[in-house]
Amino acid sequence: MDTQFIGEHLWPGQLGHFFVITSFVASLVSFFSYFNAARTENNFTTSRSWLLMGRGGFMIHTIAIISTFATLFYIITHHLFEYHYAWEHSSRSLPGKYLLSCFWEGQEGSFMLWTFWHCVLGMIVMRTSKDLESRTMAIIAFVQVCLGTMILGMYFGQDIKVGSTPFILLRHSMQGAPIFAMPNYMNMVPDGNGLNVLLQNYWMVIHPPVLFLGFATTLIPFAYCIAALWKGDYQSFVKPTIAWSLFNGAVLGTGIMMGGAWAYESLNFGGYWAWDPVENASLVPWMVLIAGLHTLLIYRSTGRALTITLIFLTLSHLLIWYSTFLTRTGILGKTSVHAFTGDGAALTYHLLIVIGLLLLIAIAMLVKRWRGLPRIKIEEETLSREFWMFIGSVILFLASIQITITTSIPVWSPLAKWMTGKDFAPPADPMAHYNNIQVWVAIIVGLLSATVMYMKFKNTNGKTLGKQLGITALIALVMAGLIGWGQRITTWQYDIMLFAACYGIVANIYYGIVIQKAKFKKLGPSVAHLGFATVLLGILISSYNKQAISFNTTGVPFDFKKATEQENLKENRENVILFHGVPVAIGEYFATYVGDSDVAGKDRRIYYKVSFEKKDTVTHKVVEHFMLYPDAFINPKGQEGMSANPSTQHYWNKDIFTFINGATDKSRADTSSYKSHIVSNVGDTIFMNNGYLVYKGLSKDVTDARYVPQEGDLAVKAKLTAYSLEGAVKDINPIYILRDRKYLTYMEDTVQSLDLYARFSNLIIKGQDSTSVELMIRQTDPKDDYIVLKALLFPYINVLWLGVLVMVFGFFISLGDILSRKGSKELGIKSV
């Protein structure tokens, strides 16, 4: 029985499990009630009763989810390691600012975060969806039921487990382990396993909530599309769906690029995007969403493209579930550094069932209404905005298919091998594989996103269009030529991409200022497209000329444990060894490893201090100086190796990006020895490898916390100041203690950045006014203290981040414009 175990706190888990069950039951009640409200809408009284019950159920569900969230957070923050989730993802030494990251590191916590955002969005939809409330909320509540099963953690029979609860006890998750046969096992679990070191970054506190809000928001356009098909009303859903799609595009796009920023600042692959399967899994739903948004705008203005709009927007949410399947079941194996390890077949089948149910609902609604969907039989004009917007949307969709097929190779390759007998493996060079295809997507979409702004719906005057585009194309050509010459972009397809990006920038600025007269409410599309073009430019110029500026000139080889010898040779060329205090040329700078931070305990971050100086080539005076602090976890969680985080010097036109690939393991025995130095007079100097010590005299004022005075003690401290080559570093005070005139002891003082240890070993009294001090000084030999550093130059990467901000700002301008309109007439919808 649970009562036999000493020190456990059972009530938080019991309370949390109660909230999980309550939220699940309440979501079921809400779904059933809303479904009946829609089914009985011809009977106002009955429908109204069901509607109120549905609202009440969803409110209770929301309160229960928030309570579940709070209970798990309580368990994590109070270090209740009797719970597997707290033990697995947190530790006592973890800084408080990263405790939230513990919440969504695990499967259950991230499902709860997703569910929480659905609750928030559902409450808004409940208040704003009006006549479509019963149908949209029925879909939202049904999805909440599906998500609720993910954290139930209940068994049906002996073999069928539904979901995984975050409130399971450690002894229940590891049944059979001998430690849990002891009533006092908690005494043997003093600390948790700790948070993944890659997640100990401020971006991982804010990036997952924003990304999951983006994931969650895809449900709302999905729900409105299903509601429109369910009711057969293809007008009232348009305005809210456009508004939610704009919000979704902004938030999900921001979340994706926050992930890029996290990778850039925290991972050491040297960039912000690697076409990793998890990155792709979040990008593809966004691309399909943007395609659906643009076809919905076509429908709003012309009555065309409703069918493809419904397909795109429903597919966007289904792809979120598919990306969940890819990243959480472990099916991606070693093809992704970001994916969850997976919970085996149970989660795989669970997610496939949910995807199948949602797909079945979408297909059934489309099939049911297929013949009655509004269509215009007359073909659209080639020289019309809707035609080329449709082409651009299809291109985005085809690009998303290509990314999905390649990313899903681990999913379909076993079947393909069974059918053909051939092995299918992910591309050996993912960057080259995706870039060679997606560069053409970027070119086409970049050109179209600017050109369609000048077109009109239904038909466009060709002469006027040609004149306007001719002017902008000429300016863009000159701009692209200058940038291409300055950045030495010589690959022809990237020259075309450069022109497309410049054309998008020039054309959208010209359109917003000259044609739209800079009317703020109308600037949303041109600003968003301007941001997209700027993103393309930023990607191109930051990546094309990205270069390593660290070169190994020492000939010292390192094993970087790469898959091929060629990769190892490349890393050996581009990594430089920095011995402590020895300047080495890196690009136009001289870099000097000047020390590292003190470390206490295990799994702690070490900051390596690297000084960069740029000198005038004539006078050799220092004209620029900065410090970088790349850090690493040495042997994290007891594993061999290191987990490094970069440090970057930011300029307006470039970034210098550095990270550690190797370092002295200071946990091993130090072979350096103490050397004796005698000082007698104030000002006497002891020279060291990379600095010196200045003797400042003696003092009987010993206040060191380590020293506990006893009667008869003679305690004296030596006052010393340590200097590096750059100036004073630290005052230190080694202590000499003579107890009862018999026992001699001492207390060392250290200068961590100089790897210096000072011991006051003897007090030599030569006369009444003549006293000398013997100091034993130990300092690590520079050759025994080193780091292996890689430095990369990213030119104009700030153009990329600026483009993201501008694009998101454009989304929100458009959202404001949509929300300020009233009714379907002002949206331009016509009966078709």
Side-chain angles (χ1 to χ4, degrees):
M1 294 177 63
D2 289 340
T3 53
Q4 67 180 314
F5 295 99
I6 302 169
E8 286 187 335
H9 302 79
L10 298 180
W11 69 264
Q14 293 167 351
L15 190 62
H17 193 62
F18 168 76
F19 288 137
V20 168
I21 300 298
T22 302
S23 70
F24 177 71
V25 173
S27 63
L28 267 176
V29 170
S30 181
F31 163 66
F32 182 75
S33 301
Y34 272 123
F35 178 82
N36 279 301
R39 190 174 58 85
T40 61
E41 65 181 359
N42 291 330
N43 186 325
F44 176 80
T45 303
T46 304
S47 180
R48 180 68 178 173
S49 298
W50 283 116
L51 191 71
L52 293 175
M53 189 180 295
R55 290 175 181 173
F58 198 84
M59 289 177 185
I60 294 172
H61 166 70
T62 300
I63 293 170
I65 287 295
I66 294 172
S67 301
T68 307
F69 199 108
T71 304
L72 182 57
F73 190 65
Y74 175 87
I75 289 173
I76 292 172
T77 55
H78 285 74
H79 306 302
L80 304 185
F81 298 125
E82 56 266 46
Y83 293 96
H84 181 267
Y85 200 88
W87 175 84
E88 178 70 18
H89 303 293
S90 68
S91 64
R92 295 184 186 279
S93 62
L94 188 69
K97 60 185 177 181
Y98 298 134
L99 286 175
L100 271 175
S101 297
C102 301
F103 191 98
W104 38 74
E105 185 194 22
Q107 299 268 26
E108 299 88 349
S110 55
F111 275 125
M112 285 171 59
L113 179 61
W114 188 1
T115 307
F116 167 77
W117 281 128
H118 277 174
C119 289
V120 173
L121 298 172
M123 295 296 288
I124 298 172
V125 172
M126 187 190 300
R127 295 292 301 273
T128 59
S129 53
K130 300 178 181 178
D131 292 343
L132 290 176
E133 179 189 347
S134 59
R135 289 171 171 81
T136 54
M137 289 304 298
I139 299 300
I140 292 171
F142 178 75
V143 172
Q144 290 296 80
V145 171
C146 296
L147 273 174
T149 61
M150 298 294 170
I151 57 172
L152 272 180
M154 296 180 65
Y155 281 90
F156 292 86
Q158 294 184 345
D159 301 323
I160 301 176
K161 181 186 178 184
V162 179
S164 176
T165 176
F167 301 107
I168 188 172
L169 290 168
L170 185 62
R171 58 184 168 86
H172 288 164
S173 66
M174 299 181 180
Q175 289 184 10
I179 185 178
F180 299 116
M182 293 179 276
N184 62 339
Y185 80 90
M186 284 298 299
N187 293 334
M188 303 175 195
V189 189
D191 204 355
N193 193 42
L195 181 67
N196 186 325
V197 294
L198 293 177
L199 302 184
Q200 295 185 37
N201 178 276
Y202 67 93
W203 279 111
M204 292 311 292
V205 178
I206 58 176
H207 159 57
V210 175
L211 185 66
F212 271 89
L213 175 57
F215 289 164
T217 310
T218 60
L219 172 61
I220 311 305
F222 174 85
Y224 271 106
C225 288
I226 298 300
L229 287 166
W230 188 353
K231 189 175 183 179
D233 178 359
Y234 308 114
Q235 293 191 9
S236 59
F237 91 107
V238 174
K239 178 181 176 180
T241 306
I242 291 175
W244 280 108
S245 297
L246 287 167
F247 178 76
N248 196 183
V251 174
L252 184 53
T254 301
I256 292 169
M257 290 314 299
M258 277 184 171
W262 164 66
Y264 182 65
E265 292 199 9
S266 299
L267 301 183
N268 59 8
F269 64 75
Y272 46 83
W273 195 264
W275 292 108
D276 182 272
V278 172
E279 295 171 338
N280 298 346
S282 60
L283 177 64
V284 166
W286 184 83
M287 293 172 66
V288 176
L289 172 78
I290 298 304
L293 172 61
H294 283 80
T295 55
L296 182 57
L297 293 173
I298 293 173
Y299 174 67
R300 181 193 69 174
S301 298
T302 68
R304 300 178 184 274
L306 174 62
T307 303
I308 197 69
T309 296
L310 296 170
I311 292 173
F312 284 162
L313 293 180
T314 53
L315 193 57
S316 177
H317 181 64
L318 291 170
L319 284 166
I320 292 293
W321 281 96
Y322 181 67
S323 71
T324 304
F325 166 77
L326 286 179
T327 58
R328 293 171 184 271
T329 59
I331 199 167
L332 291 176
K334 296 181 180 180
T335 63
S336 173
V337 299
H338 302 300
F340 288 90
T341 55
D343 288 338
L347 183 60
T348 299
Y349 293 127
H350 196 161
L351 286 169
L352 287 175
I353 289 170
V354 173
I355 293 170
L357 287 173
L358 294 176
L359 182 61
L360 181 63
I361 291 171
I363 292 175
M365 288 296 181
L366 277 168
V367 170
K368 179 181 178 181
R369 299 292 186 183
W370 186 262
R371 292 186 178 181
L373 289 175
R375 295 179 179 85
I376 297 177
K377 296 182 179 180
I378 302 173
E379 293 293 329
E380 61 265 47
E381 294 289 335
T382 305
L383 209 60
S384 65
R385 178 179 286 189
E386 63 266 27
F387 178 81
W388 291 105
M389 281 177 68
F390 181 81
I391 295 297
S393 298
V394 171
I395 294 294
L396 273 178
F397 180 63
L398 293 176
S400 69
I401 291 177
Q402 183 272 321
I403 296 172
T404 302
I405 290 174
T406 305
T407 303
S408 302
I409 287 176
V411 178
W412 57 259
S413 58
L415 178 62
K417 183 179 181 179
W418 178 75
M419 295 176 64
T420 64
K422 297 180 180 179
D423 285 317
F424 294 86
D429 185 353
M431 292 291 285
H433 171 80
Y434 287 105
N435 287 347
N436 290 338
I437 298 172
Q438 296 300 321
V439 62
W440 297 107
V441 177
I443 290 169
I444 296 171
V445 175
L447 292 172
L448 287 178
S449 66
T451 301
V452 296
M453 301 300 296
Y454 291 83
M455 292 182 171
K456 297 183 182 299
F457 284 109
K458 301 187 178 176
N459 204 353
T460 306
N461 185 296
K463 290 183 179 180
T464 303
L465 179 66
K467 181 179 178 180
Q468 292 171 334
L469 296 183
I471 294 171
T472 55
L474 183 60
I475 298 172
L477 187 61
V478 174
M479 179 181 172
L482 291 173
I483 294 175
W485 173 76
Q487 295 296 305
R488 298 186 178 92
I489 298 175
T490 57
T491 308
W492 65 274
Q493 61 263 44
Y494 291 111
D495 284 323
I496 299 174
M497 179 179 171
L498 176 61
F499 170 74
C502 292
Y503 173 71
I505 291 171
V506 173
N508 282 293
I509 291 175
Y510 182 85
Y511 181 82
I513 295 175
V514 177
I515 297 179
Q516 290 194 316
K517 308 298 181 183
K519 294 179 181 178
F520 183 78
K521 286 180 61 176
K522 303 296 182 183
L523 287 178
S526 57
V527 170
H529 290 183
L530 169 63
F532 175 73
T534 307
V535 166
L536 294 183
L537 180 62
I539 291 172
L540 178 59
I541 61 178
S542 66
S543 301
Y544 189 86
N545 282 325
K546 180 183 78 172
Q547 58 180 308
I549 58 174
S550 53
F551 297 100
N552 184 1
T553 57
T554 64
V556 178
F558 290 93
D559 182 11
F560 291 96
K561 303 186 186 306
K562 296 295 182 181
T564 65
E565 184 62 26
Q566 185 178 2
E567 289 179 296
N568 256 321
L569 289 172
K570 180 177 182 294
E571 288 302 312
N572 266 287
R573 288 194 303 270
E574 296 180 352
N575 282 265
V576 61
I577 185 169
L578 299 180
F579 293 107
H580 194 284
V582 180
V584 174
I586 292 183
E588 57 185 356
Y589 302 92
F590 283 94
T592 307
Y593 167 44
V594 296
D596 56 44
S597 62
D598 196 3
V599 182
K602 59 181 181 179
D603 294 344
R604 298 295 300 275
R605 193 188 308 259
I606 302 175
Y607 288 89
Y608 297 91
K609 186 177 181 181
V610 184
S611 169
F612 282 78
E613 289 184 345
K614 182 179 179 182
K615 297 183 178 180
D616 187 277
T617 55
V618 177
T619 64
H620 300 291
K621 292 183 179 180
V622 176
V623 295
E624 183 184 356
H625 174 262
F626 58 88
M627 302 294 300
L628 290 180
Y629 301 88
D631 65 81
F633 292 87
I634 304 298
N635 301 330
K637 297 186 180 182
Q639 302 170 4
E640 286 294 323
M642 71 188 317
S643 177
N645 294 309
S647 180
T648 305
Q649 177 70 7
H650 300 285
Y651 297 87
W652 72 270
N653 62 341
K654 66 181 179 183
D655 275 5
I656 295 175
F657 177 97
T658 64
F659 58 91
I660 301 293
N661 266 328
T664 305
D665 185 355
K666 296 187 179 180
S667 64
R668 298 178 180 177
D670 192 346
T671 59
S672 59
S673 59
Y674 284 92
K675 296 180 180 179
S676 174
H677 299 267
I678 306 296
V679 292
S680 302
N681 302 313
V682 173
D684 284 355
T685 302
I686 302 171
F687 291 96
M688 303 172 299
N689 294 322
N690 53 353
Y692 53 96
L693 282 172
V694 177
Y695 175 58
K696 297 294 183 68
L698 297 172
S699 174
K700 292 184 179 180
D701 182 20
V702 179
T703 57
D704 194 298
R706 297 172 296 171
Y707 172 55
V708 180
Q710 294 185 19
E711 187 178 351
D713 279 2
L714 171 63
V716 184
K717 69 179 181 182
K719 298 189 293 183
L720 303 166
T721 300
Y723 291 82
S724 69
L725 299 179
E726 299 171 343
V729 175
K730 183 181 179 182
D731 291 326
I732 58 174
N733 304 110
I735 301 170
Y736 174 92
I737 304 169
L738 183 62
R739 183 157 291 165
D740 295 330
R741 299 186 180 185
K742 296 179 182 179
Y743 304 104
L744 177 66
T745 186
Y746 48 79
M747 292 182 178
E748 290 185 348
D749 207 350
T750 64
V751 183
Q752 187 69 30
S753 62
L754 298 178
D755 274 329
L756 182 146
Y757 301 82
R759 180 186 299 170
F760 189 163
S761 63
N762 199 6
L763 184 65
I764 306 170
I765 302 175
K766 298 179 179 179
Q768 188 173 358
D769 299 319
S770 179
T771 303
S772 297
V773 172
E774 182 182 17
L775 296 171
M776 302 297 290
I777 305 297
R778 178 169 69 88
Q779 189 179 28
T780 304
D781 190 305
K783 293 182 181 179
D784 294 330
D785 186 10
Y786 65 86
I787 60 173
V788 179
L789 184 80
K790 186 170 184 177
L792 300 172
L793 178 70
F794 282 90
Y796 297 100
I797 193 171
N798 287 328
V799 175
L800 168 63
W801 309 127
L802 175 64
V804 172
L805 293 175
V806 172
M807 181 173 66
V808 171
F809 184 53
F811 275 113
F812 281 111
I813 294 174
S814 294
L815 177 59
D817 180 41
I818 289 294
L819 294 177
S820 66
R821 301 187 185 191
K822 297 179 181 179
S824 60
K825 291 184 179 179
E826 292 193 28
L827 292 175
I829 302 172
K830 298 181 179 179
S831 298
V832 290

